[in-house]
Amino acid sequence: MVRGHTILAVYLRNLAGYFSGLLGYVVIVTFVVIAAALAFSAEFFASNHATLDQLTNSFPALLVFLIPALTMTSWSDEKKLGTDELLFTMPATDFEILIGKYFSVLSVYTIALLFSCTNLLMLMRIGNPDPGVQFTTYVGYWLAGAALISAGMLASALTSNAAVAFVVGAVFCCIPVFISMVANVVTSGFAALLRTFQVPAETVSRYVPESGLMASFTVGHHLEDFALGILPLEGAVYFIALSVFFLYLNYVVISRRHWNTGEKGNSMGWQFLARSVSLAAIVISVTSLAMGSVARFDFTEKDLFTLSPTTKRVIAEVDPQRPVQIQAYVSPRVPEEYVAVHQNLIGMLREFEHRGGSKINVRMVSVEPYSEEADEARYLGIEPRSVQTEREGEIKVEDVFLGARVSSGYDEVIIPFFEVGNSVEYELTRSIRTVSEKERLTVGILETDANVMGGVDSGSFRSMPEWQIVTELKKQYEVESVSPDSEIPTDKFDVLLAIMPSSLTQPQLTNLVSYVEAGHPTLIFDDPLPVYNGGQGLQTAPRQEKPRQGGMFSQAPPPEPKADNGQLTSLLNVLQIAWDNGQVVFDIDNPHPRFADAIRPELIFITPRDNVPNAFNPDSPITSGLQEMLLFFSGTVRPLEESEVTVTPLLRTGATNSGLLGWNDLVRADPFFGPRLLQDPRRLEDEYAHVVAVHVESTEEANKSETAPRINTIFVSDADMVSDDIFRIAEQQLFDLQIDNIKFVLNCVDTLAGEEDFIDLRKRRDEARTLTLVESLTTNSVDRRTEAVRVAQERADKELERVRTELDEQIQQIQQNKSLDEQSKARQIRMAELAQEKKLEAFEQEVNRETEQEIKTIKATSEREISAVKGQIRFWAIVLPPLPAILLGLILGLSRASRERQNIAEDRLLK
């Protein structure tokens, strides 16, 4: 029976011994200083992520040196001083002495960890860290240290020399820390050796074991889970099992003195060897079983790694006979804008692996540039994203891999890149559902002048790539091109997508109307003023004539005119809605003041505000939960009076500072360059909130009738919503905009197709925890640069106005000079214009030069300020942690000295 008071006596004796000298304080101070230096390294500021990931990456290597320093005297000093004989003659068992010593060393390590919690205080000062993540991270640190302490104590029990104990302890600690690295070297070398003998690649891959399995038995592998904000059962079991194994070996070593010499002693050695091997097998088996456990507790504040019910259901529906393979190709280091995605991807892959068991096999590949893994990723269609970043004043272009291949026996889906604006869980869940189903639903893309499916443009004969919306839909649906020249099949498509149907001819539109009138789910995007493809979409505007094949100077016959003059009258009559193909909505209210001068009012932000709380229909699954959308020159839709269908508004603009602009107010015709947008038209506000998108459905009475049409159509008056420009802004969150255009479009398709499982999952948002203090300094710098540009522009505008006024006066004087004939007047006017143009050009060059110099000065000043702040943070992060330990040591040292003086006779004290 284990006696607690005996363990406590041994524990207090050894704990006091650590702090009676300098060893305990030196180890603590050294540990907290090194930990702070690793935590707040240059890479920490470059990632702009408020976590201790940089410390976590190096923590196992740090323990290799820290733990032996703590444990090297635990047994060796006892042997060196001969106190081990006295210790073992105490009325205590070997196990009680071992546990007492172990807890005393663990307490010193725990105290060191507590002193290093100043890292958390520094994180909270400069950023917004997730408290749950920090808690689990330190739990992982504690468990890892507790496991390696038992290994270090084993080394100390083998020798009476503390220096030797330190070296041997470091070797023992290296085994669970670097075992995967050794396995990688061995397997790579063996594979290379086989290749030198021209062994086929298939044979090599078959007989060379995967080194990835050994990674699951390393300290760093399990620490990664804790650093994500998860308390995994497998990690806890691994560290506890490691502690038990090394503690048992400790027990075997210290109990050798009880073995008798001779034959019986030899048999005891073999017996304990067999026990140790058996225990090692048990430890490995228990750890392996725990690795298949789904007991993982998510401590993140937003439950980032808690799988949604939809995801759990999708995983449960996977056929065990056809497991899903996920091959993720991930760069080990990513720029700061992708740090959150990188972390969420790794965390989610771990969750899918544990939740899926044998149904989902996950292979994470770390991809370095120009490596074999990079070639493998490219072969599968996963291309890197070249990202320009600025670090320490140096601009770099980095290739980032963040993609995956999801496959099964039925199908495969390639995710080329996990974008910032998309939920990682949604992307993975959707792909698993897609590849695990035998058949996909089908989306038909109607062929129009928008060339959504790509191909050759009829007006210019240029090759056009497919729109990104098509690529996105292919991750979930079968996508087929649909010709409007013949009757559209009614049993082939689950959803029909029509973009710019106003460009159809009359027979083509008739086929579309018949399809819609038959009640087949249809999603329509049309636009009074489309500007997709870098403004080329303006050529397909409803009020423009269809382009002639080969261009305007081609000898080809003129094309057939648009149906209903591009007004979609026959389609709108069936839908019982009104839409003017020449009216564009504007909204002066801009929720982003920093864009107020750069974005014209025809670029509308749809977002809930005081004047339009129902900007997104809260009762529709399509729009509920959306936060913000961006529209380019959209139109407006309204139901007809006495409508016999249900028209549900989905998107609304503001009601106080919005209005409508006509085609002629915005566009000027140019016979050579085509239509051109006017920059500053006259805008007259009205008092209405304009509806941009509606869902048109037949009433219940119409659905019961055999003769009434059954309508199920969504009509959106903005085709740019699905353009590649919007996709790029939404996915990469350009200009720090977090718009939901893609989510809205996919929600529309899913709702029409009856696939609503992913709608709620799609709205999940992966938030990043950033260094807000550093960001505020960077933002101030950007604001100052923007202000400098604005002041320079105002100065240039004033000078331009002055030059124009002078020119007008000179022209007026020339016109009033009766001594000049008309030819002379024209010549002098032209000379005056040229003179003013040269003067204005010289002024613009001067302004641009001064502005550029001012921006450089501001940028240099800002970089110095940011570097100074980073330096201060790093300085205090390193200086503050050891101060409490040093102060505690001084207090205890002075207190002990004072007590010693009290026990000395006064006549023996030095005067």
Side-chain angles (χ1 to χ4, degrees), residues 170-483:
V171 172
F172 285 173
C173 290
C174 282
I175 295 173
V177 170
F178 298 114
I179 188 172
S180 66
M181 186 180 299
V182 175
N184 280 332
V185 173
V186 172
T187 55
S188 299
F190 184 50
L193 180 63
L194 292 179
R195 291 192 191 99
T196 58
F197 290 99
Q198 298 181 347
V199 177
E202 297 80 5
T203 305
V204 173
S205 60
R206 184 184 307 167
Y207 292 103
V208 175
E210 284 282 346
S211 59
L213 178 63
M214 299 305 298
S216 57
F217 288 94
T218 61
V219 173
H221 173 80
H222 293 283
L223 272 183
E224 288 178 1
D225 274 339
F226 290 94
L228 291 171
I230 298 169
L231 281 182
L233 175 63
E234 69 161 271
V237 169
Y238 168 78
F239 288 125
I240 293 173
L242 202 62
S243 301
V244 170
F245 175 70
F246 279 112
L247 283 175
Y248 179 75
L249 294 182
N250 264 266
Y251 178 75
V252 171
V253 171
I254 65 175
S255 62
R256 284 184 304 173
R257 70 185 192 282
H258 298 305
W259 304 353
N260 294 324
T261 58
E263 183 177 343
K264 186 176 182 180
N266 293 334
S267 65
M268 289 293 293
W270 286 106
Q271 181 181 137
F272 275 100
L273 176 61
R275 291 180 183 180
S276 301
V277 173
S278 300
L279 180 60
I282 292 173
V283 166
I284 294 174
S285 301
V286 170
T287 305
S288 300
L289 290 174
M291 288 177 185
S293 171
V294 296
R296 295 162 65 83
F297 305 97
D298 188 355
F299 276 75
T300 58
E301 191 172 13
K302 301 292 185 180
D303 294 331
L304 295 178
F305 304 111
T306 300
L307 300 183
S308 67
T310 299
T311 300
K312 293 177 182 178
R313 185 171 63 254
V314 168
I315 294 176
E317 293 173 352
V318 174
D319 185 358
Q321 301 302 320
R322 294 181 180 270
V324 174
Q325 311 286 335
I326 303 178
Q327 295 172 270
Y329 294 85
V330 183
S331 295
R333 297 170 299 279
V334 297
E336 62 178 84
E337 54 265 40
Y338 293 106
V339 169
V341 179
H342 183 271
Q343 185 182 48
N344 291 332
L345 175 58
I346 293 175
M348 275 299 167
L349 288 173
R350 288 176 178 270
E351 289 299 312
F352 276 82
E353 184 177 22
H354 288 280
R355 175 66 62 174
S358 60
K359 294 181 178 181
I360 297 180
N361 300 320
V362 177
R363 174 176 173 243
M364 280 188 282
V365 182
S366 181
V367 185
E368 294 285 356
Y370 313 110
S371 63
E372 292 183 2
E373 290 80 7
D375 294 338
E376 180 183 344
R378 289 188 174 93
Y379 175 78
L380 294 175
I382 300 172
E383 293 292 336
R385 173 72 53 79
S386 293
V387 182
Q388 180 173 299
T389 59
E390 187 173 351
R391 298 186 180 182
E392 303 297 329
E394 183 180 355
I395 297 178
K396 299 180 180 179
V397 177
E398 301 180 7
D399 284 344
V400 178
F401 283 89
L402 276 177
R405 175 182 180 263
V406 184
S407 61
S408 71
Y410 300 119
D411 205 347
E412 76 169 20
V413 170
I414 300 298
I415 306 174
F417 199 86
F418 288 88
E419 300 288 356
V420 179
N422 294 338
S423 167
V424 171
E425 182 185 2
Y426 159 68
E427 290 279 9
L428 292 173
T429 303
R430 178 180 61 170
S431 300
I432 291 174
R433 163 70 72 81
T434 300
V435 302
S436 60
E437 291 183 339
K438 294 182 180 180
E439 295 182 0
R440 303 191 197 185
L441 298 180
T442 304
V443 174
I445 307 291
L446 193 68
E447 296 175 2
T448 66
D449 288 353
N451 277 333
V452 179
M453 294 292 290
V456 179
D457 181 70
S458 60
S460 62
F461 292 123
R462 290 184 304 169
S463 178
M464 307 292 292
E466 70 178 20
W467 288 24
Q468 202 165 338
I469 180 61
V470 178
T471 306
E472 188 69 21
L473 289 172
K474 286 180 179 178
K475 296 177 182 178
Q476 184 176 348
Y477 298 95
E478 292 288 347
V479 179
E480 295 185 15
S481 180
V482 181
S483 173

Side-chain angles (χ1 to χ4, degrees), residues 82-98:
T83 55
D84 58 331
E85 296 294 336
L86 178 63
L87 181 63
F88 287 122
T89 57
M90 292 176 57
T93 64
D94 293 349
F95 179 77
E96 291 169 344
I97 295 173
L98 173 64

Side-chain angles (χ1 to χ4, degrees), residues 617-646:
N617 189 333
D619 300 323
S620 171
I622 298 173
T623 51
S624 63
L626 299 184
Q627 294 183 358
E628 186 172 64
M629 291 176 61
L630 175 61
L631 310 182
F632 292 170
F633 300 93
S634 70
T636 181
V637 187
R638 60 179 177 82
L640 297 178
E641 296 181 1
E642 300 180 359
S643 176
E644 298 178 357
V645 296
T646 301

Side-chain angles (χ1 to χ4, degrees), residues 814-815 817 820-829:
I814 294 172
Q815 292 285 3
N817 190 348
L820 298 175
D821 55 24
E822 293 300 325
Q823 187 174 2
S824 299
K825 289 180 180 179
R827 185 170 57 255
Q828 290 193 16
I829 290 174

Side-chain angles (χ1 to χ4, degrees), residues 557-849:
E560 189 175 347
K562 295 179 179 180
D564 303 330
N565 292 323
Q567 297 178 5
L568 292 179
T569 306
S570 53
L571 176 62
L572 297 176
N573 288 339
V574 170
L575 298 178
Q576 300 183 43
I577 58 176
W579 170 71
D580 190 330
N581 68 354
Q583 285 187 329
V584 174
V585 180
F586 70 86
D587 191 348
I588 297 177
D589 282 341
N590 189 331
H592 303 280
R594 60 197 179 100
F595 295 142
D597 296 331
I599 293 183
R600 55 187 300 163
E602 288 77 39
L603 274 61
I604 301 171
F605 288 95
I606 302 290
T607 185
R609 286 171 277 178
D610 293 338
N611 61 342
V612 55
N614 292 329
F616 298 111
N617 189 333
D619 300 323
S620 171
I622 298 173
T623 51
S624 63
L626 299 184
Q627 294 183 358
E628 186 172 64
M629 291 176 61
L630 175 61
L631 310 182
F632 292 170
F633 300 93
S634 70
T636 181
V637 187
R638 60 179 177 82
L640 297 178
E641 296 181 1
E642 300 180 359
S643 176
E644 298 178 357
V645 296
T646 301
V647 181
T648 304
L650 298 177
L651 305 176
R652 287 186 177 92
T653 66
T656 55
N657 295 314
S658 64
L660 298 174
L661 285 171
W663 172 267
N664 294 327
D665 296 327
L666 271 171
V667 180
R668 285 291 180 267
D670 190 308
F672 297 102
F673 300 102
R676 301 176 64 183
L677 289 174
L678 298 179
Q679 293 300 317
D680 193 18
R682 184 184 180 191
R683 301 179 179 92
L684 297 178
E685 303 169 13
D686 56 32
E687 54 185 12
Y688 304 107
H690 300 280
V691 177
V692 177
V694 294
H695 190 180
V696 183
E697 299 173 280
S698 300
T699 60
E700 294 183 4
E701 293 76 10
N703 289 330
K704 295 177 182 177
S705 173
E706 296 182 359
T707 58
R710 294 175 175 84
I711 307 298
N712 185 17
T713 299
I714 295 175
F715 188 93
V716 184
S717 185
D718 183 29
D720 296 303
M721 184 181 296
V722 291
S723 68
D724 290 353
D725 296 330
I726 284 292
F727 262 76
R728 187 166 58 256
I729 294 173
E731 290 184 338
Q732 300 180 29
Q733 295 188 355
L734 299 180
F735 316 112
D736 295 328
L737 293 176
Q738 299 181 15
I739 58 176
D740 295 331
N741 292 50
I742 301 174
K743 297 176 182 177
F744 170 80
V745 175
L746 297 179
N747 287 350
C748 288
V749 175
D750 285 1
T751 300
L752 292 172
E755 282 280 318
E756 299 187 357
D757 289 342
F758 299 130
I759 291 180
D760 289 335
L761 184 59
R762 193 176 286 127
K763 298 171 186 175
R764 186 166 183 173
R765 302 175 188 275
D766 301 334
E767 298 182 1
R769 300 280 180 159
T770 56
L771 306 179
T772 52
L773 178 61
V774 178
E775 283 184 336
S776 64
L777 292 174
T778 305
T779 302
N780 291 337
S781 172
V782 173
D783 290 342
R784 281 184 287 172
R785 298 180 208 173
T786 304
E787 180 64 18
V789 173
R790 187 189 66 80
V791 171
Q793 186 62 46
E794 288 183 354
R795 181 183 171 193
D797 290 343
K798 290 180 180 179
E799 180 64 19
L800 179 61
E801 185 64 28
R802 185 186 66 80
V803 170
R804 286 176 177 172
T805 303
E806 290 182 357
L807 181 59
D808 290 342
E809 292 176 354
Q810 290 182 20
I811 292 174
Q812 186 176 5
Q813 291 176 2
I814 294 172
Q815 292 285 3
Q816 293 174 356
N817 190 348
K818 297 180 181 180
S819 63
L820 298 175
D821 55 24
E822 293 300 325
Q823 187 174 2
S824 299
K825 289 180 180 179
R827 185 170 57 255
Q828 290 193 16
I829 290 174
R830 182 56 182 162
M831 291 176 62
E833 290 176 345
L834 291 174
Q836 294 293 1
E837 286 178 4
K838 290 182 179 180
K839 191 182 297 184
L840 184 61
E841 182 179 356
F843 176 77
E844 287 180 349
Q845 291 178 354
E846 180 185 356
V847 170
N848 291 337
R849 185 168 55 254

Side-chain angles (χ1 to χ4, degrees), residues 539-556:
Q539 304 289 340
T540 64
R543 295 206 171 189
Q544 291 288 109
E545 294 182 357
K546 288 179 72 68
R548 186 189 299 264
Q549 286 191 352
M552 60 182 298
F553 298 109
S554 172
Q555 299 299 320

